[in-house]
């Protein structure tokens, strides 16, 4: 039985009532999150980040002294490992999207529903779990989720870990399910098996490495996308593209 990790979070929002409402909603969720600080602007938020080192941060887009866009920009430059979520109204939704350039993981429209907040934070918890453990045990209690929510969380897990050796049976064991059950649930909502999904992610990553890094050894490309056996990597790549990695690189080489 693993020990559930607790992740620290901060809320940066200039309107006190909205800030407290967000905290109240987060506290109502069954998530391993601990509030460590709150601020009313980006300038104060940065000072708190330095002192408290949170794992996750929720910030409004429009604030005095330093707005959310500049805040997330500085956050990304100095603390790229912190997961940031932007809050915005419909009028500044396009403005909020610009923050994606600064590594923002998600943005939520006001007024924030508990459901959307829960879905967003579940995904971020999985990302954090994945970063803190090679075979991450999810801290989210999946037994309280619907089948569709389980499939979404598995998708996030696979997306965060496809470059590593992934064992669906090991993941299933950690979650308290069978691998067959997880495969059926995933395929029902994603229209493909977990194995096919992982393979698609790996092949797409390999394609960009082959094209953008022409001097990178084929064996190394395979290792970087989760295939330690170079021959197996070449075989899987050809099965999915009708070309061996070397052939794909030559065909798509840009002069």
């Amino acid at each position: 039985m693993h020990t559930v990790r607790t992740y620290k979070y901060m809320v940066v929002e200039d309107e006190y009532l909205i800030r407290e409402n967000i905290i109240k909603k987060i506290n109502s969720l069954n998530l391993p999150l601990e509030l460590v600080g709150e601020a009313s602007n980006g300038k104060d938020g940065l000072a708190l980040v330095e002192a408290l080192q949170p794992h996750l941060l929720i910030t409004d887009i429009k604030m005095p002294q330093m707005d959310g866009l500049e805040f997330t920009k500085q956050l990304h430059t100095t603390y790229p490992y912190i997961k940031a979520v932007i809050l915005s109204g419909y009028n500044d939704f396009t403005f909020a999207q610009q923050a994606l350039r600064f590594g923002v993981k998600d943005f939520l429209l006001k007024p924030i529903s508990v459901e959307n907040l829960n879905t967003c934070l579940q995904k971020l918890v999985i990302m954090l779990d994945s970063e803190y453990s090679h075979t991450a045990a999810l801290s989210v209690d999946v037994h309280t989720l619907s089948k569709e929510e389980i499939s979404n969380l598995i998708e996030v897990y696979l997306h965060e870990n496809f470059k590593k050796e992934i064992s669906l049976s090991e993941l299933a064991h950690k979650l308290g399910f069978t691998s067959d059950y997880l495969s059926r649930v995933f395929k029902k909502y994603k229209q493909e098996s977990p194995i096919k999904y992982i393979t698609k992610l790996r092949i797409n990553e390999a394609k960009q490495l082959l094209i953008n890094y022409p001097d990178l050894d084929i064996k190394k490309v395979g290792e970087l996308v989760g295939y330690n056996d170079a021959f197996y990597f070449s075989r899987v790549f050809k099965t999915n593209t009708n070309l061996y990695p070397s052939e794909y690189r030559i065909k798509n080489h840009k002069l």
Side-chain angles (χ1 to χ4, degrees):
M1 183 176 181
H2 73 281
T3 301
V4 175
R5 298 183 184 87
T6 298
Y7 298 109
K8 300 183 293 185
Y9 79 93
M10 280 178 49
V11 177
V12 182
E13 159 68 60
D14 61 314
E15 295 189 40
Y16 174 78
L17 291 179
I18 294 178
R19 189 168 72 242
E20 293 305 302
N21 185 252
I22 292 169
I23 294 170
K24 182 179 179 180
K25 287 179 178 178
I26 294 176
N27 289 340
S28 72
L29 303 174
N30 186 28
L31 294 172
L33 297 174
E34 174 191 3
L35 177 69
V36 293
E38 51 185 291
S40 59
N41 61 75
K43 184 178 179 181
D44 291 343
L46 280 177
L48 279 180
V49 166
E50 183 176 355
L52 302 173
Q53 294 293 316
H55 300 94
L56 189 156
L57 190 145
I58 300 173
T59 179
D60 191 16
I61 194 70
K62 290 186 176 180
M63 297 181 293
Q65 297 190 52
M66 181 187 293
D67 64 24
L69 195 61
E70 180 61 27
F71 178 42
T72 53
K73 179 181 179 180
Q74 293 198 29
L75 194 71
H76 183 59
T77 299
T78 311
Y79 309 99
Y81 48 85
I82 295 177
K83 312 303 179 196
V85 177
I86 284 282
L87 307 178
S88 69
Y90 284 101
N91 294 334
D92 48 34
F93 185 65
T94 301
F95 185 58
Q97 287 180 301
Q98 297 178 40
L100 292 175
R101 294 178 299 168
F102 309 132
V104 170
K105 298 303 180 183
D106 206 346
F107 41 84
L108 299 171
L109 285 175
K110 297 179 179 178
I112 303 168
S113 71
V114 174
E115 292 75 16
N116 289 339
L117 182 63
N118 189 33
T119 299
C120 170
L121 294 180
Q122 284 174 356
K123 291 180 180 180
L124 294 183
V125 167
I126 290 177
M127 289 183 187
L128 289 166
D129 277 339
S130 299
E131 291 176 2
Y132 278 78
S133 175
H134 179 68
T135 53
L138 305 184
S139 295
V140 175
D141 184 2
V142 294
H143 296 280
T144 65
L145 306 179
S146 68
K147 291 181 180 180
E148 183 173 8
E149 288 173 326
I150 290 174
S151 71
N152 290 336
L153 294 185
I154 294 172
E155 182 178 34
V156 173
Y157 174 82
L158 297 180
H159 190 270
E160 292 296 312
N161 292 276
F162 74 90
K163 296 180 183 180
K164 308 171 186 176
E165 287 189 32
I166 296 179
S167 170
L168 189 62
S169 60
E170 185 174 356
L171 174 61
H173 176 71
K174 289 179 180 293
L175 297 180
F177 296 117
T178 66
S179 55
D180 286 342
Y181 176 80
L182 290 188
S183 294
R184 288 197 305 271
V185 169
F186 189 84
K187 189 170 184 178
K188 177 180 179 181
Y189 292 99
K190 305 302 176 183
Q191 286 73 57
E192 60 184 342
S193 69
I195 297 301
K196 285 188 176 181
Y197 183 80
I198 295 170
T199 301
K200 178 177 67 178
L201 292 175
R202 287 175 170 174
I203 296 302
N204 287 339
E205 178 73 7
K207 286 178 179 178
Q208 72 90 10
L209 289 174
L210 290 167
I211 293 174
N212 296 323
Y213 301 91
D215 296 327
L216 195 61
D217 184 74
I218 299 294
K219 183 177 186 297
K220 186 62 177 178
V221 171
E223 291 174 352
L224 288 173
V225 299
Y227 295 110
N228 292 323
D229 187 321
F231 293 105
Y232 181 66
F233 165 57
S234 293
R235 189 163 69 249
V236 173
F237 192 92
K238 188 176 192 303
T239 298
N240 286 271
T241 65
N242 293 319
L243 294 170
Y244 286 109
S246 57
E247 295 172 334
Y248 180 87
R249 171 177 274 167
I250 292 171
K251 181 178 179 181
N252 293 276
H253 179 65
K254 297 180 180 179
L255 298 176

